[in-house]
Amino acid sequence: MTIYNYIALKNSKDIVKGKVDAQDLREAREAIRKLGFIPTKVYEEKSKEEEKALKNAGKGGKVHKLGLQDRIDFTSTLQILAQAGIPIIESLMFIENDAAKLKVREVAKELRRQIMAGATFADTVAKYPEQFGQVYIGLVKAGEDSGELEKTLQRLLELQTKEANIRGKVIGTLMYPMFVILLAIIIVLVMLMFVFPVFKEMFDGMGKELPWITATLMSAGVFLKTYWFFAPIIVVSIVGTATFIMRWQPSKRKVDEYVLKIPILSALIEYSNFANFIAVMQVAYDAGVPIIECLYLANMTLTNHTLKTKIETATLKVQQGQHLSIALRSTKVMPKMILFMIATGEQSGSLGDMLLQATSYIDKMLDGIIDTMTKMIEPIMLIVIGGIVLTLALALYLPLFNSYMTD
């Protein structure tokens, strides 16, 4: 028998702590439920010798942060080897020797060293949240506790591949307008710095007052040609300011709140956020993670602060005993079809299957939204480029037209 510590809810509101004896984690959770409590966290109690060994194992070298593709490669190799029946230490040794990237080899080496010192794979991964992320750590812990680490690695691989696909779709949609904007900025700078100054002497020789648009752009061109170093400073300042606004929490919260009010963009943000949210919920639920912990793990994937705050409120309501579908409906941000699927799953006892269907539904909706945005972006970019060309052309030719009209 093993001693498990637990944190649970009594009467859906009071937090209680205690210990139970059980053969495994599932039996421990059942024992806690028989006591009339709702378990929120259950973990194995370590002996002093084990804690000392884990502490010593944790004193390892620093490893580099893994990108999403690095985690996919690491998890894919680990899952294939685990499926072939190769022990975790030998699998990590294989990655350590044969992984393509140095940082992946370093992570595998450090994990193997700590596991050989007495730590579990889940406990070792938990020491590197920057490399793996809390969702990865939570699911590995659940998979190891349930004895289904191989299946959990497969679920993690599917989850990370899905995240990479969603990220690729969103970035691909935004790449075209960003490229066009950058190209437009370069064209305008070249025109102002090299073309407009050439026409300055000719316009001055006319002896007539220039139209305001020509005078403004001409002055800007002369200034930029004389103080050319201001051009990169201006561009860097604009990029730096935009980056600061998106990273500084007070301004980011305002931006996150505002973008949800823009029709098409709000749909893209909501569905891209909830695609990861529902996918993590489904994987965690199938791995045997309690629904409260599923929500906590899934909420970590949300990047929009407004959505994240509302889902956190719903999580508290579920923790107090409210049904998942009712709590999520109260946020008024979850798509209605997803709410219907979750409610159906709760009533029929097949929540995992309905969450899987919900992920497929969100994928289809996201593809449709991206197609719509792509079709809308092309004419908008044409209008923007046309407006820039028209402005520059008017600035150059208006003085000539005025000269012909007066002559």
Side-chain angles (χ1 to χ4, degrees), residues 287-324:
V289 178
I291 193 65
I292 300 296
E293 293 183 29
C294 289
L295 285 168
Y296 279 122
L297 288 173
N299 202 31
M300 292 177 185
T301 66
L302 298 177
T303 56
N304 184 279
H305 181 268
T306 302
L307 297 178
K308 193 179 187 74
T309 302
K310 291 188 176 183
I311 296 298
E312 284 175 351
T313 303
T315 303
L316 292 175
K317 292 180 179 179
V318 174
Q319 196 168 5
Q320 293 169 359
Q322 197 171 83
H323 285 292
L324 176 62

Side-chain angles (χ1 to χ4, degrees), residues 243-272:
T243 303
F244 175 77
I245 290 173
M246 293 307 298
R247 290 185 177 179
W248 190 45
Q249 286 304 314
S251 58
K252 184 180 184 303
R253 291 172 184 175
K254 290 293 183 181
V255 172
D256 286 347
E257 183 179 356
Y258 175 74
V259 293
L260 292 177
K261 299 177 182 178
I262 303 174
I264 303 296
L265 185 60
S266 65
L268 176 66
I269 292 170
E270 286 176 0
Y271 277 96
S272 60

Side-chain angles (χ1 to χ4, degrees), residues 169 172-174 176 264 367-380:
K169 289 177 182 178
T173 303
L174 299 178
Y176 175 68
I264 303 296
D367 288 340
I369 292 168
I370 289 174
D371 288 341
T372 302
M373 286 194 68
T374 303
K375 293 175 182 177
M376 290 181 62
I377 284 172
E378 291 178 2
I380 291 173

Side-chain angles (χ1 to χ4, degrees), residues 119 128 137 179 237 241 278 299 303 318 352 359 403 405:
Y128 298 100
I137 292 168
F179 173 77
S237 299
T241 302
I278 296 296
N299 202 31
T303 56
V318 174
T359 59
S403 176
M405 292 293 292

Side-chain angles (χ1 to χ4, degrees), residues 110-396:
E110 190 61 27
L111 295 180
R112 180 182 63 82
R113 188 189 68 80
Q114 294 190 39
I115 291 172
M116 290 180 69
T120 64
F121 179 62
D123 289 337
T124 307
V125 170
K127 293 184 177 72
Y128 298 100
E130 291 186 359
Q131 282 72 23
F132 294 97
Q134 293 297 337
V135 173
Y136 195 105
I137 292 168
L139 292 178
V140 167
K141 174 67 173 172
E144 199 168 67
D145 289 342
S146 62
E148 297 181 343
L149 182 58
E150 179 189 326
K151 292 183 180 179
T152 302
L153 289 173
Q154 177 63 38
R155 293 175 183 132
L156 276 170
L157 183 59
E158 295 172 357
L159 189 63
Q160 290 173 123
T161 303
K162 180 182 177 65
E163 182 182 351
N165 291 337
I166 293 171
R167 186 179 297 182
K169 289 177 182 178
V170 174
I171 292 175
T173 303
L174 299 178
M175 279 292 290
Y176 175 68
M178 293 301 295
F179 173 77
V180 172
I181 291 171
L182 180 62
L183 183 62
I185 292 173
I186 293 173
I187 292 172
V188 169
L189 288 175
V190 170
M191 290 288 292
L192 291 178
M193 295 174 66
F194 299 103
V195 178
F196 276 84
V198 173
F199 284 82
K200 187 176 187 309
E201 292 184 4
M202 183 180 70
F203 291 155
D204 291 341
M206 292 180 181
K208 296 181 180 180
E209 184 178 356
L210 296 175
W212 68 269
I213 186 172
T214 305
T216 301
L217 295 180
M218 193 70 70
S219 299
V222 172
F223 176 82
L224 288 173
K225 189 173 183 180
T226 306
Y227 304 99
W228 57 269
F229 49 86
F230 273 99
I233 292 175
I234 292 171
V235 173
V236 171
S237 299
I238 293 173
V239 174
T241 302
T243 303
F244 175 77
I245 290 173
M246 293 307 298
R247 290 185 177 179
W248 190 45
Q249 286 304 314
S251 58
K252 184 180 184 303
R253 291 172 184 175
K254 290 293 183 181
V255 172
D256 286 347
E257 183 179 356
Y258 175 74
V259 293
L260 292 177
K261 299 177 182 178
I262 303 174
I264 303 296
L265 185 60
S266 65
L268 176 66
I269 292 170
E270 286 176 0
Y271 277 96
S272 60
N273 271 262
F274 286 130
N276 288 327
F277 178 87
I278 296 296
V280 171
M281 277 277 293
Q282 186 265 323
V283 170
Y285 187 81
D286 281 352
V289 178
I291 193 65
I292 300 296
E293 293 183 29
C294 289
L295 285 168
Y296 279 122
L297 288 173
N299 202 31
M300 292 177 185
T301 66
L302 298 177
T303 56
N304 184 279
H305 181 268
T306 302
L307 297 178
K308 193 179 187 74
T309 302
K310 291 188 176 183
I311 296 298
E312 284 175 351
T313 303
T315 303
L316 292 175
K317 292 180 179 179
V318 174
Q319 196 168 5
Q320 293 169 359
Q322 197 171 83
H323 285 292
L324 176 62
S325 57
I326 297 175
L328 291 176
R329 189 180 298 277
S330 66
T331 64
K332 297 181 180 180
V333 293
M334 185 75 71
K336 291 183 179 179
M337 180 57 71
I338 303 301
L339 291 172
F340 174 75
M341 291 180 177
I342 292 174
T344 303
E346 283 185 310
Q347 293 173 4
S348 62
S350 57
L351 182 58
D353 293 336
M354 295 309 297
L355 287 173
L356 185 60
Q357 292 186 32
T359 59
S360 300
Y361 169 79
I362 291 180
D363 287 343
K364 292 178 182 177
M365 293 297 297
L366 192 58
D367 288 340
I369 292 168
I370 289 174
D371 288 341
T372 302
M373 286 194 68
T374 303
K375 293 175 182 177
M376 290 181 62
I377 284 172
E378 291 178 2
I380 291 173
M381 289 296 101
L382 288 175
I383 292 172
V384 170
I385 295 297
I388 293 173
V389 172
L390 179 62
T391 302
L392 295 174
L394 286 175
L396 288 175

